[in-house]
Amino acid sequence: VRRIRATLQAGAGDHGEGLGEYVNDLGDPHVGHIHYLYDVYMRIPLIFSGPGVPKGKKSSDMVSLLDVAPTLFKLLGFKSQPSFQGRNIFETLGDKSPEIFQETHKPEAFKNRFALLKQPWHLILVPEDQILEIYNLSSDPQEKANLAEDKEGAAALDRMKRRLEEFARDV
């Protein structure tokens, strides 16, 4: 075991928070989290501080909580583990297009929901209701215009739905 003299800190939230941007299944403004997978519920801060962390570096690149362990291991000088599913974010900054799978389940959530986020697209699937939603985050960052029935979203929807189904089978 190595003794580490410097302090390395990492901080992350575990969920975003809806403040009425969307309505629930009853038509009421939804305040809270867990139930939906829109960006406002999923976006969280991630902060690293300490030796080896680029000073003043800010990024809006997409990362996942799966990236925290590989990043910390690298910063601490440890070898990455084969079981890590994430990546060292400081080696991949600028890769704005990783695949990020998202999910929320009953009984905590009202319904099971699954999503795939791959810039610029965000696909959300609600199997129970046979609902597919796809949003182009470049032109619609608030996720208000579902393009599932639109030509623009059709090609991305098919490709991403297959990838989401593959992921679900693997899990």
Side-chain angles (χ1 to χ4, degrees):
V1 176
R2 282 190 226 172
R3 173 178 261 173
I4 299 169
R5 294 174 192 242
T7 301
L8 179 64
Q9 298 176 345
D14 64 339
H15 56 76
E17 194 73 16
L19 300 174
E21 297 91 336
Y22 297 93
V23 296
N24 62 24
D25 294 344
L26 301 173
D28 298 322
H30 182 260
V31 176
H33 55 275
I34 295 178
H35 303 291
Y36 302 100
L37 297 175
Y38 300 112
D39 191 55
V40 69
Y41 300 102
M42 305 305 292
R43 186 175 295 270
I44 60 170
L46 176 61
I47 301 168
F48 287 94
S49 174
V53 176
K55 293 203 182 304
K57 174 72 173 162
K58 293 181 181 181
S59 175
S60 59
D61 292 355
M62 285 193 328
V63 298
S64 164
L65 288 177
L66 294 172
D67 300 327
V68 173
T71 302
L72 287 174
F73 265 55
K74 180 68 174 184
L75 289 171
L76 293 170
F78 297 123
K79 210 168 54 168
S80 184
Q81 300 300 300
S83 60
F84 288 165
Q85 295 177 26
R87 63 215 167 101
N88 174 355
I89 63 170
F90 295 113
E91 291 177 355
T92 57
L93 286 176
D95 175 13
K96 294 182 184 279
S97 195
E99 285 185 332
I100 297 179
F101 294 94
Q102 304 166 321
E103 58 192 328
T104 189
H105 296 279
K106 290 180 185 178
E108 290 84 9
F110 300 137
K111 298 178 181 176
N112 295 332
R113 296 175 198 268
F114 306 92
L116 173 57
L117 179 60
K118 177 145 177 76
Q119 286 288 12
W121 299 103
H122 191 196
L123 172 70
I124 301 172
L125 168 65
V126 186
E128 182 178 328
D129 296 333
Q130 298 182 347
I131 293 174
L132 276 172
E133 299 173 66
I134 190 162
Y135 301 94
N136 183 328
L137 298 176
S138 294
S139 60
D140 180 23
Q142 301 300 313
E143 296 177 305
K144 299 295 184 182
N146 181 4
L147 300 174
E149 302 294 325
D150 190 276
K151 281 194 307 187
E152 181 187 355
L157 181 113
D158 290 339
R159 181 181 69 252
M160 291 181 73
K161 184 176 179 230
R162 279 194 302 277
R163 184 65 187 111
L164 188 57
E165 289 168 347
E166 288 170 9
F167 174 76
R169 277 193 301 274
D170 290 347
V171 170

